Amino acid sequence: MKIYLVTGGAGFIGSNFIIYMLKTYNNIKIINVDKLTYAGNLENLKEVENNLNYMFVKADICNKKEISRIFYEYDIDYVVNFAAESHVDRSINDPEIFVRTNVLGVQNILNIAKNSWEIDSGFKGEKKFVQISTDEVYGSLGDTGYFTENNPLDPHSPYSASKAAADLIIKSYYDTYSMPVNITRCSNNYGPYQFPEKLIPLIINNCLSKKVLPVYGDGLNIRDWLYVEDHCKAIDMVLKKGRIGEVYNVGGHNERTNIHVVKTIIKYIYENFDSAVTDDLIEYVKDRKGHDRRYGIDPTKINKELDWKPTTSFETGIKKTINWYIKNEEWLKNVISEGYKNYYKKMYGDI
Ligand code: NAD
Ligand code: DAU
C-alpha cells in the first residue's frame, strides 16, 4: 500500500485532491499534514474523515521535529506539497509569512524527505516529491503567446516570487542529489471548497449577500481557468508517470477576462436563483499593485507525455461551482471567520 504525505490537504486544492484520490483508489493511504491556517478547514474533508485509509496530523511544514517524526513513523512513498500561503493580495500586504512557508517550509520538507529516502546508491524504491507550483512564476503575458515549461521565471508578486524560489530549490535537489521530484505549474483553479477571498468564490458569496462586486482596474486582466478536479487528475498522472526532474504545466485554454467571469456569475444567479443580482453590483476598484495582465498555459507537454487533458469546460465548471456554493451556503458562512472579516473590511470596507 503506497503512503502519500499530502501537505496543505485542508485547503482548497489539497482537500479536493484527497477526496479524488480516496474515491479513485482503495489501496492507498493518505496522511494529511496541515497547519490549519485561516485557509485550512477540516470541514472540507468531512466525507473522508472516517475512511480508514485517511489520517490527519496538525503540523507546520516549517517544523523540523514534527515533520521528521512523520517520516520516522511512516515509510512515506510520495510527498505532494500543496501547503502554502496562496493569496496574492495578502502577499502584497504582508510578504514575510510567504517566504517562511513557501520557501523555508518547502526546503524543510524537501530536505527531510531526501534524508529519509536517500541510500548509498541513490534513492529507495519508487519515491517521489511533487511540488504544486503555479503558472504565476512565469510572470505576465502580452496579448499573444503562452507559458511553456521553457519560459524564464519572472515572478512579480511576493507570492509568485516565493513559489519561484521553491521551484529553484527543488530543481537544485534534483541537479545535486538526483532526488526524484516533479514540479507542476497550474493556472487558476476554481470549484468547491475555495476560500472566498479568491475571485470566483468571493463574487459568488457577494452576489448571494448582495454586496459590492469589486473588480480590480479595468477588469480586462485575463486568467486561464481550470476546474479543480481536472487539476487533481493531472497531479495523479504526474505522480504515476511524470519523468523524474521534469516540470509540467497544467491548463486547458480557458482564458477569460475578469469582467467576463464576474458577469457570467451574475447572469447565472440572476436567471436561476435571484433576479435582484444584476450588473449594478459591480464596482471597479483600485487596481492590485503589480497586477499581472494575462496568464495562458501551453499544455502540450502534459498532453503529449502523460495523455492528460481537462474534461470540464469553463461554461460547465462555473455552473457546477455556483450550484455547489449555493447548496453549501452554510460552509461559506462558516469559513468567514472573525479574522477573515477583519481582513475583508480592511480591503473592501464594511461587510
Ligand atoms: P489554500 O490557501 O486554499 O490552502 C493552503 C493550505 O496550506 C491550507 O490548508 C493551509 O492551512 C495550509 N498551510 C499553510 N501554511 C502551512 C504550513 N506552514 N504548514 C502546513 N500547512 C500550511 O491554497 P490552494 O488554493 O489550495 O493552493 C494549494 C497549492 O496550489 C499552493 O501551493 C498554491 O501555490 C498552488 N496553486 C494554487 C492555484 C489556485 O488557483 N488556487 C493554482 C496553481 C497553483
Ligand atoms: O494562476 C494561479 C494562481 O491563481 C495561484 O497560484 C494563486 O494561488 C491563486 O490565488 C490565483 O492567483 P490570482 O491572483 O490570479 O487569483 P485571484 O482569485 O486573487 O484573482 C484573479 C483575478 O481577479 C486577478 O486578476 C485579480 C482579480 N480580482 C481578484 C479579486 C480577489 C478582482 O478583480 N477582484 C477581486 O476581488
Side-chain angles (χ1 to χ4, degrees):
M1 193 183 245
K2 295 283 185 199
I3 304 184
Y4 292 66
L5 179 66
V6 175
T7 49
F12 163 48
I13 308 175
S15 58
N16 276 283
F17 178 75
I18 291 173
I19 292 167
Y20 169 78
M21 292 297 281
L22 290 173
K23 254 191 215 154
T24 310
Y25 305 102
N26 54 22
N27 59 345
I28 61 169
K29 181 174 178 68
I30 294 188
I31 303 172
N32 174 17
V33 169
D34 199 296
K35 184 183 170 185
L36 299 181
T37 68
Y38 78 95
N41 183 359
L42 290 178
E43 233 185 290
N44 300 5
L45 293 150
K46 272 239 161 308
E47 71 178 271
V48 298
E49 69 186 6
N50 295 323
N51 188 318
L52 295 176
N53 293 342
Y54 168 77
M55 68 178 272
F56 174 71
V57 179
K58 186 173 185 305
D60 184 334
I61 59 165
C62 301
N63 188 308
K64 279 197 174 59
K65 247 198 204 152
E66 288 171 352
I67 301 297
S68 299
R69 194 165 70 218
I70 295 165
F71 275 86
Y72 179 74
E73 284 177 6
Y74 299 94
D75 184 12
I76 305 291
D77 294 293
Y78 303 122
V79 176
V80 190
N81 179 43
F82 295 94
E85 289 295 331
S86 67
H87 191 38
V88 173
D89 292 327
R90 284 178 190 259
S91 83
I92 293 165
N93 290 339
D94 182 13
E96 194 174 325
I97 183 72
F98 284 74
V99 176
R100 184 176 180 274
T101 293
N102 300 2
V103 184
L104 300 177
V106 172
Q107 199 275 333
N108 185 47
I109 43 173
L110 185 69
N111 203 54
I112 292 168
K114 174 187 126 10
N115 289 342
S116 149
W117 292 345
E118 203 173 23
I119 47 178
D120 285 346
S121 53
F123 282 83
K124 301 188 228 175
E126 286 172 39
K127 309 291 186 187
K128 193 182 265 193
F129 185 104
V130 176
Q131 167 71 354
I132 310 305
S133 185
T134 167
D135 61 354
E136 297 201 12
V137 298
Y138 297 121
S140 182
L141 291 165
D143 290 343
T144 57
Y146 297 100
F147 295 135
T148 75
E149 290 79 359
N150 297 324
N151 276 46
L153 301 187
D154 183 23
H156 297 136
S157 70
Y159 161 69
S160 53
S162 69
K163 295 294 288 187
D167 285 9
L168 292 177
I169 293 169
I170 291 161
K171 179 181 179 307
S172 81
Y173 272 58
Y174 171 68
D175 292 343
T176 308
Y177 311 108
S178 304
M179 181 166 174
V181 300
N182 280 127
I183 294 171
T184 61
R185 293 185 182 142
C186 189
S187 57
N188 287 62
N189 282 217
Y190 66 105
Y193 301 120
Q194 187 167 30
F195 195 85
E197 64 186 348
K198 308 284 166 58
L199 182 69
I200 288 181
L202 182 137
I203 295 298
I204 297 172
N205 182 42
N206 286 15
C207 282
L208 298 182
S209 40
K210 313 282 184 326
K211 298 202 184 93
V212 159
L213 310 178
V215 173
Y216 299 169
D218 62 6
L220 296 178
N221 297 66
I222 291 175
R223 297 293 182 264
D224 186 358
W225 295 97
L226 186 72
Y227 191 65
V228 64
E229 195 177 62
D230 280 323
H231 187 190
C232 296
K233 289 178 185 164
I235 296 166
D236 183 24
M237 285 183 181
V238 169
L239 269 161
K240 286 208 287 259
K241 301 195 286 180
R243 281 188 296 131
I244 298 300
E246 292 294 314
V247 173
Y248 292 93
N249 284 355
V250 187
H253 289 304
N254 273 305
E255 287 182 45
R256 300 289 185 283
T257 60
N258 293 338
I259 191 65
H260 174 87
V261 171
V262 172
K263 287 190 173 177
T264 303
I265 296 170
I266 294 172
K267 186 164 181 279
Y268 187 71
I269 295 181
Y270 172 83
E271 285 173 357
N272 296 281
F273 300 103
D274 187 347
S275 59
V277 172
T278 67
D279 289 1
D280 290 345
L281 289 173
I282 294 173
E283 190 171 313
Y284 287 90
V285 298
K286 206 166 119 214
D287 208 354
R288 174 183 278 174
K289 287 181 186 148
H291 198 174
D292 286 338
R293 191 64 172 169
R294 175 179 161 243
Y295 302 147
I297 286 278
D298 176 351
T300 309
K301 181 173 173 181
I302 190 163
N303 181 222
K304 287 222 164 103
E305 282 190 20
L306 309 185
D307 199 22
W308 174 87
K309 53 176 179 314
T311 54
T312 304
S313 69
F314 181 73
E315 284 62 38
T316 306
I318 195 72
K319 287 179 194 156
K320 270 168 91 165
T321 302
I322 298 168
N323 289 335
W324 187 88
Y325 284 94
I326 287 178
K327 205 170 147 207
N328 293 277
E329 245 188 297
E330 208 47 41
W331 179 91
L332 258 182
K333 280 190 199 131
N334 292 346
V335 295
I336 302 180
S337 63
E338 282 311 308
Y340 176 59
K341 273 188 197 154
N342 292 337
Y343 164 76
Y344 192 99
K345 202 166 172 182
K346 193 168 143 202
M347 298 287 292
Y348 307 114
D350 276 325
I351 303 181

